Amino acid sequence: MVSQLFYIIHVSQIEEMRAVGFKEFCISAAAKYHLFYEEVKKMTENYQKTHGSQNHSIEETKAYFIGGGVASLAGAVFLIRDGHIPGKNIHIFEELNIAGGSCDGIGSPEEGYVVRGGRMLNDPAYECTWELLKFIPSVSDPKKSVRDEVVDFNKRIKTRAKARLVDENGKAADVSSMGFSNADRIALAKLTITPEEALGTLKINQWFSPSFFKTNFWYMWATTFAFQPWHSAVEFKRYMIRFMHEFPRIHTLEGVTRTPYNQYDSLVLPLQKWLEGQGVHFEMNCQVTDLDFKPSESVKTVEVIHYTRAGKQDEIAIRENDLVFFTNGSMTEGSRLGSMTSAPGLGAKGGSFTLWETIVKKQPDLGNPSAFADHIDESLWESFTVTMKDTAFFNSLQSFTGRALATFKDSNWFMSIVLPHQPHFTNQPENVSVFWGYSLFPDNKGNYVHKKMSECTGEEILIELFNHLKLTEELPSILKTSNCIPCMMPFITSQFMPRTKEDRPPVVPEGSTNLAFIGQYCEIPDDVVFTVEYSVRSAQMAVYSLLKLDKEVPPISQHQYDVRILFNSFITSFR
């Protein structure tokens, strides 16, 4: 009390003390201190009513993640590592029986392997991802971090496309030129400096002329990142800026950073194993169906989580200092698998999009799921995974394509394949090889199999593929020793759909006291969706914001201001 009282005594008050006497001055100062204390107490109480009390032990905070994808796994790590929340206080709800979300990889040599898609990483642009993986130990060698494991692998196994584009004769096409006209160059340059607000919901094909979509650049850029002409010009612009450093080598893909195995074995399993070791609860086969909010016009506070498991409904009361992280939307939601003898079906919305739609009815300013989930005809494509027991043939094919994406530019399906380093799965025998591919136009009829790809069996997809490669003589043997599993994904590029700024909610919405959005459908200015980095960054932002940590999220690299990158990109555009 004495120290606080003397703190109030300012130099300017010395004369007052001399005039009234020390005793009277102390009585007056004490009264002022009491009024000051009461005012601060009142302000603190009002703040706590709005933001929640901070006068609690971090040991008591519980966190609930809705969705078991990479964003949730990363968020749980950040809560433990940086927020010091005990792992036993963290619950991850996943409606499937496996974690990892879209970074998947399952199967066996007998039944065939499945990877719905491959995630290409990038050293210069994955700032948050690498910072996370430096902290996570490798499963195969716990003395190494996952980041070190990836670096060592890429030093040994180089990525370089030998046939980035394949022509109608099954030969590697000349990709030394981007194929731009002067009008294309001007349009690209203008796009990179046009504000997003001015672009609005403009589509890529509303910005460029039809000839642009016949250039080598479009064939390579579109299939590397899965863009369609009707996708958002804003997202296309963001990619042009974020990966400007890769523009000069888009024809070789040498900038791609690969994981030693598929992303499930290489990324998801190490994260999950570390979290399980910390006591994190994985609530599998559990679907969250609704969130209740406390009544308020200005504050958003989740107070109840409703969920179902094994057909039974239940709920969790969210206490004052608990946190909720929601992966709103999923690009692999509604995925369906086919087989060598059956085509995949077309799935519909699942728990993630449905929950987002449900809470938006209560809180209309939490985004617009319809902008992404109600355009299946424009957001779907189909992938396929091939398990081969003829390793000699696989090796021969890989020597033609290299360990990188190869696109059949004249394919009616706009088909691409990737033959990665083997083994691609940790349980893959030496006499088995695995590769995957995908097609952006699965509703077109094939060049050789006159059916829509979406109606084709795995066998028919192989027939189409190896006719493009002009390997028809080897086809009977390939069909006998291979298993092709197709996969239809109705929402796989839904995050690229034209949108307004308000269609994606902020990571932490205005007025939120305990709710954050993570994953591919929240808004992070300047960053690009359809990347592992976007999921990890959103999780780090969410944790640091809700816990009010005095820590900075790694900044997004600004390659567009690097003179060397700008110069190389300019020269490349005239190549």
Side-chain angles (χ1 to χ4, degrees):
M1 178 69 178
V2 174
S3 63
Q4 293 162 328
L5 182 61
F6 276 95
Y7 177 77
I8 296 174
I9 302 176
H10 191 271
V11 175
S12 62
Q13 295 173 309
I14 297 296
E15 293 301 321
E16 179 186 350
M17 182 175 67
R18 290 174 177 171
V20 301
F22 181 74
K23 180 178 180 180
E24 291 297 324
F25 177 81
C26 288
I27 294 172
S28 174
K32 291 178 181 178
Y33 171 77
H34 179 73
L35 290 174
F36 172 75
Y37 171 80
E38 290 298 323
E39 185 63 27
V40 170
K41 180 180 178 183
K42 183 178 180 181
M43 291 172 61
T44 301
E45 289 173 349
N46 289 336
Y47 180 87
Q48 290 174 352
K49 287 179 181 178
T50 303
H51 296 85
S53 173
Q54 298 300 311
N55 297 323
H56 71 282
S57 170
I58 203 70
E59 297 283 335
E60 300 173 3
T61 296
K62 290 190 176 182
Y64 301 91
F65 287 88
I66 304 171
V70 168
S72 290
L73 301 181
V77 173
F78 294 133
L79 282 177
I80 297 169
R81 187 193 70 179
D82 302 326
H84 306 294
I85 291 180
K88 63 183 176 63
N89 291 2
I90 299 173
H91 296 258
I92 298 176
F93 293 91
E94 170 55 51
E95 63 180 290
L96 302 178
N97 62 358
I98 186 171
S102 300
C103 283
D104 60 349
I106 58 174
S108 67
E110 296 78 22
E111 301 295 326
Y113 293 98
V114 174
V115 283
R116 289 180 292 186
R119 302 290 169 262
M120 292 182 289
L121 310 181
N122 184 258
D123 264 21
Y126 278 49
E127 304 90 355
C128 296
T129 303
W130 301 135
E131 194 269 342
L132 168 70
L133 297 180
K134 286 177 182 177
F135 179 74
I136 302 298
S138 161
V139 171
S140 60
D141 183 1
K143 295 180 181 179
K144 277 185 177 182
S145 71
V146 174
R147 170 58 176 164
D148 290 337
E149 185 178 55
V150 170
V151 170
D152 290 347
F153 174 78
N154 283 270
K155 285 180 179 178
R156 292 187 296 106
I157 308 299
K158 303 296 184 182
T159 296
R160 182 178 176 83
K162 296 181 179 180
R164 183 61 191 86
L165 297 180
V166 179
D167 64 22
E168 59 185 352
N169 298 313
K171 304 295 184 183
D174 181 5
V175 290
S176 58
S177 170
M178 290 291 177
F180 290 140
S181 66
N182 283 334
D184 294 332
R185 298 184 186 99
I186 293 171
L188 268 176
K190 185 179 178 182
L191 179 65
T192 60
I193 62 173
T194 300
E196 291 186 4
E197 294 76 13
L199 294 172
T201 59
L202 204 68
K203 300 176 182 179
I204 302 172
N205 58 12
Q206 292 174 316
W207 184 267
F208 295 99
S209 66
S211 61
F212 175 80
F213 301 97
K214 297 295 183 182
T215 61
N216 282 343
F217 166 78
W218 174 255
Y219 293 144
M220 294 186 288
W221 196 266
T223 52
T224 299
F225 301 116
F227 276 109
Q228 301 275 29
W230 51 81
H231 283 158
S232 167
V234 169
E235 301 302 334
F236 186 76
K237 172 196 171 177
R238 286 193 182 189
Y239 262 80
M240 288 301 303
I241 292 174
R242 192 79 159 98
F243 293 108
M244 188 175 290
H245 57 288
E246 297 302 335
F247 177 56
R249 52 185 182 180
I250 192 66
H251 62 304
T252 64
L253 298 175
E254 289 175 278
V256 172
T257 302
R258 296 286 186 186
T259 54
Y261 302 101
N262 64 83
Q263 281 78 47
Y264 180 80
D265 286 335
S266 291
L267 301 181
V268 174
L269 280 183
L271 287 166
Q272 184 173 351
K273 183 176 181 180
W274 186 86
L275 290 171
E276 288 174 339
Q278 302 297 312
V280 172
H281 303 276
F282 284 83
E283 314 288 353
M284 311 309 291
N285 299 301
C286 185
Q287 181 176 336
V288 175
T289 57
D290 200 359
L291 302 178
D292 289 344
F293 294 84
K294 287 184 178 180
S296 174
E297 293 183 1
S298 58
V299 175
K300 296 177 178 63
T301 302
V302 178
E303 60 179 359
V304 179
I305 293 176
H306 298 272
Y307 67 94
T308 61
R309 177 158 39 194
K312 296 181 179 180
Q313 298 182 357
D314 208 340
E315 64 182 43
I316 298 172
I318 304 301
R319 303 172 307 170
E320 184 177 6
N321 300 301
D322 293 344
L323 305 173
V324 179
F325 301 86
F326 175 31
T327 301
N328 56 309
S330 168
M331 59 188 183
T332 49
E333 194 158 281
S335 299
R336 297 291 183 268
L337 298 179
S339 69
M340 279 292 280
T341 57
S342 64
L346 181 64
K349 296 175 189 174
S352 186
F353 277 123
T354 302
L355 177 59
W356 189 11
E357 291 173 338
T358 299
I359 67 172
V360 163
K361 293 175 182 176
K362 304 176 182 181
Q363 301 282 349
D365 58 342
L366 295 183
N368 175 25
S370 178
F372 311 101
D374 291 336
H375 307 276
I376 289 178
D377 288 347
E378 296 179 314
S379 65
L380 87 171
W381 48 254
E382 185 174 350
S383 68
F384 55 95
T385 312
V386 182
T387 303
M388 305 186 74
K389 294 184 178 179
D390 186 342
T391 56
F393 179 78
F394 175 92
N395 294 336
S396 175
L397 186 58
Q398 191 181 67
S399 68
F400 169 65
T401 65
R403 297 184 184 92
L405 196 68
T407 296
F408 302 92
K409 68 184 187 70
D410 298 304
S411 164
N412 291 345
W413 295 348
F414 207 8
M415 179 188 284
S416 300
I417 56 173
V418 180
L419 281 76
H421 175 74
Q422 302 295 301
H424 198 47
F425 288 79
T426 55
N427 66 338
Q428 181 181 328
E430 290 185 4
N431 64 338
V432 171
S433 300
V434 177
F435 73 92
W436 75 276
Y438 80 101
S439 296
L440 287 173
F441 300 150
D443 284 334
N444 286 353
K445 290 186 177 180
N447 301 67
Y448 304 96
V449 177
H450 300 297
K451 293 171 63 176
K452 295 179 180 180
M453 183 185 185
S454 56
E455 299 173 351
C456 285
T457 65
E459 179 176 330
E460 290 168 327
I461 291 173
L462 287 179
I463 292 172
E464 178 77 9
L465 169 62
F466 287 100
N467 269 279
H468 277 294
L469 288 165
K470 306 305 177 187
L471 296 172
T472 53
E473 291 185 7
E474 295 87 345
L475 190 52
S477 175
I478 292 169
L479 294 177
K480 287 181 181 179
T481 58
S482 301
N483 183 7
C484 176
I485 301 177
C487 177
M488 180 62 74
M489 294 174 283
F491 305 104
I492 188 63
T493 58
S494 56
Q495 65 272 37
F496 281 161
M497 294 303 298
R499 59 173 180 84
T500 65
K501 182 180 179 181
E502 294 74 25
D503 287 338
R504 294 200 296 228
V507 173
V508 178
E510 184 177 355
S512 172
T513 65
N514 66 354
L515 173 66
F517 292 92
I518 57 178
Q520 300 296 306
Y521 298 87
C522 57
E523 174 58 18
I524 304 176
D526 300 327
D527 210 354
V528 292
V529 291
F530 212 168
T531 61
V532 172
E533 173 67 13
Y534 201 90
S535 290
V536 175
R537 181 175 292 276
S538 68
Q540 196 166 16
M541 291 171 63
V543 169
Y544 288 8
S545 179
L546 286 183
L547 289 182
K548 299 178 176 61
L549 299 181
D550 186 20
K551 296 179 70 68
E552 290 187 4
V553 176
I556 294 173
S557 301
Q558 303 294 316
H559 301 296
Q560 70 273 29
Y561 300 122
D562 188 314
V563 174
R564 293 165 300 178
I565 291 175
L566 286 170
F567 178 76
N568 289 337
S569 296
F570 176 77
I571 296 300
T572 301
S573 70
F574 284 88
R575 197 169 63 198

